[in-house]
Amino acid sequence: MAASRRTLVILYALHSWAGIVTGLLLFIVCFSGSVVVFKNEIDLWANPSLRALPHVAQPVGPDLVLNNLAEYYPGSKVESLWYPDGINPAWTAFIKRADNPERMKIAVRADTGEVVGPVDSELGQFFRMIHVFLFFGPRWIVGFLGVAMFFLIVSGFVIHRKILKELFTARWRKSLRVTGSDLHKSLGVWGLVFHLMIAFTGAWLGLAPVFERSYSYVSGGGGARPAAMMMRNNALDRPMQMASVGALLKQAQHDMPGLQPNRIALRDVGKPNASVTFFGQVDDLWFSNARITYQGGRFKEKNDPRQNGFWSQFNGLMEPLHFGDYGGIVLKWLYFLIGLSPALLSLSGTLLWIERRKLRQRNRAGVVGAQHV
């Protein structure tokens, strides 16, 4: 019993200090994460020019979009194209102009291919940058916060093992500290499964790429230069007409049957080694981590989760589970409302720690005062 009591005391101390150290960052990440569920809706709301565009069942092809962008912005480089979807009615292009090193987000009509112009606001993307990168750091920082959140949830549940018996009890007539403590524990238990899922998927998304790169480097893959880097020579710098993206799309859907692209990444357009990658979903799966790449007009590589086994499919589940973009608007509202609770937990936990610290200081002061009487 003594050992168990000592373990709980240590766990409580670790829980408290982990919460204090990460509390502010967890609040920022969790609050922005609940908002970013509506990223696309926010971007649309913040851009009246997009809201006025019609939704079409069959948008124009990528070749027309690229040709119109080349005419509208001569000398620019298109880095990626995003397909219209159920929320955003327009093609979205990210380009770099020759006279402006900063990347621009351009909207193109889905019904005619006409260039609308720069997107006025990226408020939704702003919240995503805060949530995924804390707006300044690498993603592994947020991954470590996911680990901290997971530890806080598990340790809090272990510390307050009796909370399940008192789940519907809040001592409203007690002090503010006691009432706040009851609400803090209840809030953590009510959203326990959801919180664990968000913490685990967030940690996985932030840290899995780091472990993969580390493993590749240790196993010898990190020392080899990619073939594309070794191929560079003067011939690659001579302009050349890139193969039709539309033709490559048809080839991609042949090489990966059931591919439903939602994004196209472009690199070195106009050169013999021009790279085109199609991202999207495939039939029979509801998550979207399929990918196929062509370089110089020839097949280079692909990621078909239907063929790559369990871990590829497991990895593909992480992002939709974390961001809640696999369902409709009702699911997004659930993610938003329940997603606010970790932010409230980090805030309430910090306030409770400060209140307990003040109480201990008052008690010590009282003891010292009594000793001098």
Side-chain angles (χ1 to χ4, degrees):
M1 180 65 69
S4 177
R5 174 68 179 174
R6 183 172 181 272
T7 301
L8 287 176
V9 170
I10 294 174
L11 193 59
Y12 181 83
L14 292 173
H15 177 88
S16 299
W17 281 107
I20 291 302
V21 171
T22 62
L24 177 59
L25 292 178
L26 279 175
F27 176 82
I28 294 172
V29 168
C30 293
F31 179 80
S32 60
S34 64
V35 175
V36 86
V37 170
F38 294 107
K39 172 190 176 298
N40 294 332
E41 288 85 351
I42 292 173
D43 279 339
L44 186 62
W45 169 81
N47 292 278
S49 60
L50 296 183
R51 296 203 307 270
L53 299 178
H55 286 271
V56 295
Q58 294 293 331
V60 297
D63 287 336
L64 178 59
V65 173
L66 289 169
N67 289 336
N68 288 347
L69 285 170
E71 292 181 6
Y72 205 90
Y73 298 103
S76 63
K77 293 182 178 180
V78 180
E79 294 184 340
S80 63
L81 289 175
W82 292 76
Y83 277 73
D85 54 37
I87 300 170
N88 179 20
W91 279 91
T92 303
F94 288 91
I95 72 171
K96 281 188 176 180
R97 297 176 59 178
D99 58 347
N100 187 354
E102 294 187 4
R103 193 173 67 160
M104 298 176 60
K105 184 178 181 180
I106 309 296
V108 179
R109 291 183 64 113
D111 54 345
T112 64
E114 177 187 355
V115 177
V116 177
V119 173
D120 301 324
S121 172
E122 293 188 62
L123 184 59
Q125 181 64 16
F126 172 81
F127 281 109
R128 182 179 173 88
M129 289 294 293
I130 293 177
H131 178 69
V132 176
F133 302 105
L134 281 174
F135 215 83
F136 64 84
R139 194 168 187 174
W140 60 259
I141 295 178
V142 179
F144 275 118
L145 287 175
V147 174
M149 180 178 170
F150 196 91
F151 169 77
L152 287 167
I153 295 168
V154 174
S155 61
F157 185 76
V158 173
I159 293 168
H160 305 294
R161 289 172 295 178
K162 296 181 180 180
I163 188 60
L164 292 177
K165 299 178 181 179
E166 303 170 354
L167 196 54
F168 298 94
T169 302
R171 291 167 286 184
W172 299 103
R173 297 184 180 180
K174 296 289 184 178
S175 66
L176 182 61
R177 181 184 66 83
V178 173
T179 303
S181 178
D182 288 346
L183 293 177
H184 177 81
K185 290 181 284 188
S186 298
L187 188 62
V189 174
W190 276 110
L192 181 65
V193 175
F194 179 84
H195 298 160
L196 287 171
M197 180 192 71
I198 292 298
F200 178 81
T201 54
W204 183 278
L205 290 170
L207 297 178
V210 176
F211 291 131
E212 288 176 1
R213 288 193 295 269
S214 300
Y215 175 78
S216 176
Y217 182 83
V218 171
S219 62
R225 297 179 63 192
M229 294 291 292
M230 300 175 67
M231 286 169 50
R232 296 193 65 86
N233 53 49
N234 293 333
L236 296 180
D237 295 325
R238 293 197 295 268
M240 176 179 175
Q241 184 66 35
M242 190 184 75
S244 165
V245 174
L248 289 177
L249 174 58
K250 292 181 179 179
Q251 184 62 42
Q253 291 173 325
H254 175 269
D255 295 337
M256 187 182 292
L259 175 65
Q260 304 167 31
N262 53 34
R263 176 165 66 99
I264 306 172
L266 305 163
R267 189 177 64 181
D268 292 331
V269 175
K271 296 181 180 180
N273 68 328
S275 174
V276 180
T277 303
F278 300 96
F279 300 84
Q281 293 182 217
V282 289
D283 291 343
D284 306 323
L285 296 175
W286 53 270
F287 49 86
S288 54
N289 71 332
R291 180 185 72 252
I292 185 167
T293 300
Y294 295 87
Q295 189 165 18
R298 296 181 296 274
F299 171 79
K300 180 182 179 183
E301 61 181 3
K302 69 176 179 178
N303 174 46
D304 189 338
R306 296 169 299 186
Q307 301 176 359
N308 291 352
F310 170 79
W311 284 112
S312 177
Q313 296 188 22
F314 180 81
N315 187 55
L317 283 170
M318 295 299 101
E319 185 142 344
L321 282 177
H322 189 76
F323 290 102
D325 57 1
Y326 56 91
I329 192 67
V330 174
L331 181 68
K332 288 188 176 185
W333 275 109
L334 286 174
Y335 262 72
F336 171 74
L337 294 173
I338 306 177
L340 285 175
S341 56
L344 297 176
L345 282 169
S346 63
L347 181 62
S348 62
T350 302
L351 295 175
L352 287 171
W353 182 86
I354 294 173
E355 185 63 27
R356 290 193 188 100
R357 191 176 180 85
K358 289 180 178 179
L359 180 62
R360 286 195 297 268
Q361 290 174 345
R362 287 196 298 266
N363 290 339
R364 283 197 296 266
V367 171
V368 172
Q371 291 174 350
H372 287 80
V373 174

